[in-house]
Amino acid sequence: MGLVVQKYGGSSVADAEGIKRVAKRIVDAKKNGHQVVVVVSAMGDTTDELIDLAGQVSPIPAGREFDMLLTAGERISMALLAMAIKNLGHEAQSFTGSQAGVITDSVHNKARIIDVTPGRIRTALDEGNIAIVAGFQGVSQDKKDITTLGRGGSDTTAVALAAALDAEVCEIYTDVDGVFTADPRVVPKARKIDRISFEDMLELASSGSKVLLHRCVEYARRYNIPIHVRSSFSGLQGTWVSNEQGDRKVEQAIISGVAHDTSEAKITVVGVPDKPGEAATIFRAIANNEINIDMVVQNVSAASTGLTDISFTLPKAEGRKAIDALEKTKSTIGFESLRYDDQIAKISLVGAGMKTNPGVTAGFFEALSDAGVNIELISTSEIRISVVTRADEVKEAVRAVHSAFGLDSDSDEAVVYGGTGR
Ligand code: ADP
Ligand code: ASP
Ligand code: MG
């Protein structure tokens, strides 16, 4: 029996009962002969509550202090979980990200893991302990400041530890039975996927299927760590995310699923002079502020004015910073104005079979048009089509596309065991 890394999300440890239930599961894995490393998230919606609290004392909190605050959530759950395990008669020790050797760069609020040195975890395991690690946090290599890995970052902590400790599997325990063909909170007829490739999972995750964070999938693919996504509330087998070799052949579906994302906003730079270098200046200003953008569209310029509009999407959380950065370039670029719209949603259809099946794009647009949904932006990759629509149309649009591609399950409705969907 080898080493397993188990990660429990916030909804799995939402209250004392949840912590005790999870402790039993962990002890069962230990009794089965595994060495067990557990990564735990903050209880329930604690992280959101801490963010709200920070907003009440400062509109743009300093990154260093913000990270220090947010990491407190995971420290609470790791200590309580270790206590609950000890109460069941087993040895457990909790560790912060820094103690567990999670070394990051120094970009606060979305740090990247650059090294993992889990010496203390190894020692704890060798001494017979279950090791509990606070997810979503690390320590910066240069300044030794506490950092966080971005929302949902505990998934990445789990896979990074699994890679560093050469675990046989990384189990991600959550509040649904695995990865579904759409978010079960929006599409009750979504179907559980038994096996999915890293490639398709990466596209689903980066398109907004928050059941797994895309950075975690990227990491797992790089180190070839199989991920088993499953419910902490049921004993069912979940979804295996892995490469496609040997007995891990994934389902040969044309379409893997439909993802949606309401966490982005759209900025339109209106009246940009249509000459070389303008787009470069705009996006350099954004990049210099460590802001990641997603979709970009430049409208055809009206010949008479020689001006064009450039629209792009970005995380809502970065909206204020991006607007401030662009305002500063206004005189250099000479654009007319900025428009900010946070009432948008992105809907994506993902599937490796798209490459070789004509008609997928047409079918996607037809489904949206039949549902009366207007499309504002479009972007595609080899295995994904995404569109931006109005936020209040997103649920209807996702359901329409899911049905149109024959993804609806004809058995029972998908179960959502917990969580608030926040
Ligand atoms: P945790 O707290 O365990 O990290 P998250 O809330 O981050 O849980 O992720 C689980 C949630 O992801 C589910 O409750 C579900 O609403 C959402 N989700 C979005 N897309 C999917 C999908 N394709 N399959 C399963 N769950 C999805
Ligand atoms: N608690 C953090 C969050 O809510 C990290 C995580 O749960 O993965 O984003
Ligand atoms: Mg999560």
Side-chain angles (χ1 to χ4, degrees):
M1 287 285 181
L3 187 155
V4 294
V5 174
Q6 301 189 329
K7 177 255 170 177
Y8 292 90
S11 49
S12 297
V13 291
D15 52 22
E17 280 316 305
I19 289 176
K20 289 197 270 184
R21 183 174 49 79
V22 162
K24 284 208 194 82
R25 261 201 115 107
I26 296 167
V27 165
D28 284 345
K30 171 86 176 164
K31 281 189 190 153
N32 284 336
H34 289 288
Q35 284 194 311
V36 190
V37 176
V38 175
V39 173
V40 69
S41 292
M43 294 170 71
D45 291 333
T46 301
T47 308
D48 291 288
E49 287 155 16
L50 292 173
I51 292 171
D52 291 349
L53 194 57
Q56 288 171 38
V57 296
S58 164
I60 306 183
R64 182 184 183 279
E65 306 315 322
F66 196 56
D67 277 352
M68 195 63 106
L69 175 72
L70 296 195
T71 54
E74 270 71 12
R75 291 174 76 123
I76 294 171
S77 47
M78 74 178 194
L80 290 171
L81 190 52
M83 289 175 200
I85 292 172
K86 278 171 176 286
N87 192 48
L88 295 174
H90 288 260
E91 288 308 317
Q93 279 182 356
S94 63
F95 298 90
T96 63
S98 167
Q99 289 175 325
V102 179
I103 317 288
T104 71
D105 62 21
S106 50
V107 182
H108 282 295
N109 309 338
K110 54 178 176 194
R112 273 185 179 271
I113 298 177
I114 50 183
D115 197 10
V116 182
T117 52
R120 292 190 66 180
I121 304 297
R122 276 253 180 253
T123 308
L125 293 173
D126 291 345
E127 290 170 357
N129 288 289
I130 293 167
I132 316 287
V133 180
F136 164 69
Q137 53 180 271
V139 60
S140 66
Q141 192 167 49
D142 49 359
K143 295 192 190 137
K144 306 283 179 277
D145 276 331
I146 298 301
T147 53
T148 63
L149 309 178
R151 297 308 306 272
S154 299
D155 294 348
T156 316
T157 307
V159 169
L161 277 170
L165 293 163
D166 204 16
E168 59 187 38
V169 59
C170 180
E171 296 183 322
I172 303 280
Y173 285 92
T174 184
D175 52 16
V176 289
D177 279 313
V179 180
F180 284 73
T181 47
D183 185 341
R185 281 179 210 275
V186 172
V187 185
K189 289 216 141 294
R191 203 168 42 78
K192 192 183 86 193
I193 302 169
D194 293 330
R195 293 189 175 279
I196 188 169
S197 64
F198 283 129
E199 193 189 20
D200 277 9
M201 191 63 233
L202 210 51
E203 288 285 348
L204 280 177
S206 57
S207 308
S209 298
K210 69 168 182 163
V211 63
L212 280 184
L213 197 71
H214 74 275
R215 261 194 200 170
C216 129
V217 186
E218 242 168 34
Y219 214 103
R221 179 171 67 169
R222 187 166 350 122
Y223 293 96
N224 199 14
I225 304 291
I227 302 179
H228 187 188
V229 183
R230 56 195 308 194
S231 167
S232 72
F233 298 80
S234 80
L236 297 175
Q237 278 282 310
T239 301
W240 284 87
V241 187
S242 62
N243 66 28
E244 295 189 54
Q245 281 156 13
D247 59 354
R248 298 216 181 101
K249 267 268 168 254
V250 299
E251 289 172 28
Q252 287 303 310
I254 297 174
I255 302 300
S256 288
V258 187
H260 71 279
D261 189 354
T262 50
S263 69
E264 294 191 342
K266 180 173 76 172
I267 290 181
T268 304
V269 191
V270 181
V272 181
D274 194 6
K275 58 180 205 288
E278 300 296 84
T281 315
I282 289 173
F283 291 110
R284 176 53 59 202
I286 297 292
N288 285 347
N289 284 277
E290 310 275 0
I291 299 168
N292 290 320
I293 56 154
D294 184 12
M295 297 161 94
V296 182
V297 171
Q298 175 170 336
N299 293 341
V300 181
S301 74
S304 56
T305 62
L307 297 176
T308 184
D309 295 346
I310 296 179
S311 296
F312 62 93
T313 60
L314 76 174
K316 274 181 196 164
E318 315 263 40
R320 181 76 261 156
K321 211 162 46 157
I323 294 284
D324 288 350
L326 288 173
E327 288 292 358
K328 288 192 190 122
T329 64
K330 189 166 183 183
S331 55
T332 333
I333 298 174
F335 62 81
E336 286 171 356
S337 60
L338 294 172
R339 247 186 271 139
Y340 183 72
D341 179 358
D342 60 4
Q343 292 304 307
I344 61 160
K346 183 172 75 171
I347 297 154
S348 307
L349 187 65
V350 172
M354 233 179 247
K355 283 186 237 181
T356 46
N357 281 274
V360 172
T361 309
F364 183 50
F365 293 157
E366 277 158 14
L368 292 169
S369 131
D370 290 348
V373 173
N374 190 40
I375 299 170
E376 299 183 11
L377 300 180
I378 302 171
S379 89
T380 59
S381 82
E382 245 195 334
I383 63 166
R384 176 187 49 78
I385 318 168
S386 303
V387 295
V388 165
T389 67
R390 288 289 93 207
D392 58 8
E393 293 177 328
V394 65
K395 290 186 178 170
E396 212 185 325
V398 171
R399 288 181 200 133
V401 172
H402 195 266
S403 292
F405 282 87
L407 297 172
D408 287 355
S409 146
D410 26 53
S411 54
D412 292 345
E413 289 198 347
V415 183
V416 178
Y417 297 91
T420 57
R422 191 170 170 183

